[in-house]
Amino acid sequence: MSARILDGRAVASRLWRDLSDRVADLRERSGAAPRLAIVRFDDRGPSAVYAGSVARAARSVGVEPHEVTPPSGVSLTDLAGRIGALNRDPSVAGIVIAQPLPAHLDPSTVVALIDPAKDVDGATPLNAGRIARGERTFVPATALAVMAILRNYEVQIAGRRAVVVGRSAVVGRPVAALLVAADATVVICHRRTRNLAREVRRAEILVVAAGSPGLVRAEMVNRSAVVIDCGINTTPDGIVGDVDFGSVRPVVAAITPVPGGVGPVTTMMLLEQTVDAAERQAAEFEPALDRYALPAASESIRPPAAR
Ligand code: NDP
């Protein structure tokens, strides 16, 4: 039997409706649309493409995109001034920095300039630390998209063995932390993992974020596995994931396609956290993390019981 397809576009369109309603409510109460500042450094390259697609999605739910375009030679001091102004601007709910940055700017230093309360893509070191500690905060949108897909398809997470392939700060590490917070038992794999196939085969939930087309093949997976493929790789055959979809689909329980899986949900997660930020600024905050990553029964993030 072929795997169930975990359809990211369907999940994204449900999220789109909810978000549009929440934005309409916010607009009615405050008289203004929440604004998402998108800092980008080029006019035509990948940073502009990303900024353009986020801006279009933002407009579609009623969030107002505010593109900020520092000159590509901008100094760190100048940039700190610009991001500081966005941090102080009460009309700006969230700030995202479109990668890649010009070579002379260190990405970690630049994202650290964002006020963590407006860090709607969970990029700042403070929010990364909170995620690692299992605390509620904004999280990287791709990691949250993985959890949103699992939740939307009611995949049981607690007690299950999850394997994450990839340990980047934007995908692998935060996904692993969210799965631990949802009470999975998590193994993180990377290039130095001794026997990737053996680790992957033990996964009941498999999340792959390696940037390596076709890395996971049919003979590596477990028949009961739910497979979430975060990979986006441009090949002569078009965009493909890190999982060899054609061979893996027939032998697992469920799988996300690429394209049409994690990608569309990621954009919605960025917008959902922007709306969260706007609601928090209006004192009505309920983090998206609560809705997707933390089951009501989870004990893992509760404060320790009084002795
Ligand atoms: P990085 O290159 O930063 O990290 C890749 C990770 O995968 C590293 O930890 C690396 O290990 C590991 N890895 C790579 N090759 C192998 C291998 N052969 N065996 C085991 N581990 C391996 O990539 P990102 O995390 O930024 O992105 C991963 C993928 O997700 C890319 O395809 C990217 O395009 C996609 N992506 C998708 C998004 C979405 O919205 N769907 C958003 C962001 C990224 P090591 O640490 O040892 O080098």
Side-chain angles (χ1 to χ4, degrees):
M1 212 178 73
S2 207
R4 178 171 193 189
I5 296 294
L6 307 176
D7 181 352
R9 292 201 178 102
V11 174
S13 83
R14 273 199 294 280
L15 293 165
W16 183 90
R17 282 194 297 275
D18 289 352
L19 273 182
S20 303
D21 289 348
R22 284 171 65 193
V23 173
D25 279 355
L26 269 169
R27 288 179 81 133
E28 206 175 291
R29 284 198 305 277
S30 70
R35 288 170 89 213
L36 171 62
I38 308 165
V39 182
R40 67 168 165 90
F41 295 89
D42 59 37
D43 288 331
R44 250 168 273 209
S47 169
V49 171
Y50 171 82
S53 86
V54 169
R56 271 192 305 282
R59 260 185 230 104
S60 80
V61 296
V63 167
E64 187 191 317
H66 171 45
E67 288 193 45
V68 178
T69 53
S72 59
V74 67
S75 70
L76 184 61
T77 312
D78 181 343
L79 188 58
R82 292 169 196 246
I83 294 177
L86 297 171
N87 288 339
R88 290 187 299 277
D89 182 342
S91 77
V92 171
I95 303 168
V96 62
I97 297 185
Q99 308 278 342
L101 302 184
H104 70 283
L105 294 171
D106 170 45
S108 306
T109 308
V110 171
V111 294
L113 297 169
I114 300 173
D115 177 348
K118 295 189 176 187
D119 174 26
V120 291
D121 202 17
T124 57
L126 183 69
N127 282 331
R130 287 175 173 157
I131 296 160
R133 291 168 59 114
E135 295 172 1
R136 288 177 170 75
T137 190
F138 294 122
V139 302
T142 308
L144 198 54
V146 170
M147 303 306 288
I149 291 171
L150 293 172
R151 278 255 173 279
N152 265 270
Y153 283 95
E154 297 180 344
V155 174
Q156 191 201 324
I157 302 172
R160 296 186 89 187
R161 178 182 290 273
V163 173
V164 179
V165 182
R167 57 176 167 181
S168 72
V170 284
V171 195
R173 281 171 205 262
V175 167
L178 297 184
L179 287 166
V180 169
D183 295 333
T185 301
V186 181
V187 170
I188 304 176
C189 300
H190 44 77
R191 282 181 227 264
R192 300 292 298 272
T193 296
R194 220 178 305 140
N195 187 337
L196 184 67
R198 185 184 61 200
E199 299 299 340
V200 165
R201 202 169 299 119
R202 300 184 71 200
E204 295 171 289
I205 296 170
L206 175 65
V207 180
V208 191
S212 176
L215 176 66
V216 172
R217 300 176 308 279
E219 67 274 16
M220 297 166 72
V221 292
N222 182 319
R223 300 184 77 81
S224 63
V226 173
V227 181
I228 310 286
D229 187 353
C230 302
I232 302 177
N233 306 293
T234 307
T235 72
D237 299 329
I239 304 277
V240 300
D242 292 340
V243 176
D244 179 19
F245 186 81
S247 78
V248 171
R249 180 184 178 186
V251 299
V252 293
I255 187 167
T256 55
V258 178
V262 175
V265 184
T266 296
T267 313
M268 285 299 132
M269 291 296 101
L270 178 66
L271 296 175
E272 182 155 350
Q273 294 196 105
T274 304
V275 175
D276 284 349
E279 287 179 352
R280 176 193 264 177
Q281 285 149 29
E284 300 160 0
F285 183 59
E286 182 206 359
L289 184 64
D290 278 2
R291 289 190 285 283
Y292 301 112
L294 302 179
S298 172
E299 297 292 328
S300 57
I301 290 193
R302 295 202 184 141
R307 286 171 201 273

